[in-house]
Amino acid sequence: MDLRQLKYFIAVAEERSFSRAALRLHVSQPPLSTQLKALEDELGVRLLDRTNRGVSLTAAGQVFFDEMRAVLARLERGKEMARNAGRGDVGSLSIGFVSIADYGILPPALKEFRSLYPRVEVHLHELTTDAQVREIRAARLDLGIGLGPLDAPDLHFEAVAQELLLLAAPTGHRLTRGDKAVDLKAMANESFIVPPRDIAPGLFDLIIGQCRAAGFAPRITQQARQMQTVISLVACGMGFALVPASVQNLRRQGVQYRPLQGPAATIELGILRPRDDDDPVSRNFVATLLRVAQTADIPSR
């Protein structure tokens, strides 16, 4: 028994005629009759009653027809599902992201991705870059959106955007009144709030480097793992912070943001994923994210 015989049988049963079934299948009638006779011989039962008035199903033929029609429908559905999976139209995706991605590029990228691939189930996890690396290695995340540079040779890091570094200061502070760019040298005696280096080495080193370029080593009085916490501490008057520009979208009361004088300092945001990643769902999301980055209100590479 093969798939061709089943399709022949279904066509004859539905058309109630060998000649009409042959036309529908674009085959000649003799091979059609031969194949159905072979099918009946294999099953050991008569499936069709053949008369001068046409073809009808026997009792056994009706049972076989109902079952095989369901089988063929399931087969077609399976073929379509396989095609969809191969194109990345269906499936699930587990994505890690640093908090600044949620203030900038992630929301518009998710909106476009869901409009293009509504049958893909997306699971989001807010994690620091180092935590994303661990989760991707453990196969608990498919990909991540984190901060560069990244020291992880087994992962691929693809730059998505570069964000300007701004000064976050308590509202009304005497050193940041007005809306002009701030000379970082004026902050030499102030307290700074930074992320721990072990979770964001790129951002930490950039902050320290900017302060040293301004002629001082920052007095770090607080460290916070999440950018929301950094901004909350600034709002409470605990100190200043150098943060990526998209953090402005957090809009926390009690905080003001100022550009810095001198050469622009930027932090890199990028996609982390396994080097051997060939999942079509992941590829579609990466393509969407890169496309959105070209039009988002974030300076991109």
Side-chain angles (χ1 to χ4, degrees), residues 156-171:
H156 177 67
F157 181 83
E158 185 170 2
V160 174
Q162 290 183 330
E163 291 198 37
L164 290 171
L165 211 60
L166 301 180
L167 178 71
T171 300

Side-chain angles (χ1 to χ4, degrees), residues 167 173-176 180-192 207-219 240 242 258-263:
L167 178 71
H173 194 281
R174 60 181 178 81
L175 296 176
T176 55
K180 294 182 179 180
V182 173
D183 185 352
L184 196 55
K185 293 179 181 178
M187 306 291 134
N189 296 319
E190 301 298 325
S191 299
F192 276 80
I207 293 170
I208 300 302
Q210 287 299 110
C211 292
R212 286 178 175 168
F216 69 96
R219 186 163 61 92
F240 292 79
L242 296 178
R258 293 288 182 270
L260 298 171
Q261 292 181 10

Side-chain angles (χ1 to χ4, degrees), residues 4 24 27 50 54 84 119 136 156 159 162 189 200 202 219 236 267 296:
R4 180 180 56 175
R24 168 175 155 183
V27 298
R50 301 160 177 83
N84 288 336
R119 289 182 291 176
I136 291 172
H156 177 67
Q162 290 183 330
N189 296 319
R219 186 163 61 92
C236 293
I267 185 71

Side-chain angles (χ1 to χ4, degrees), residues 131-145:
Q132 291 179 43
V133 170
R134 290 194 299 270
E135 294 298 289
I136 291 172
R137 285 172 173 165
R140 290 189 288 265
L141 282 182
D142 296 305
L143 54 85
I145 305 172

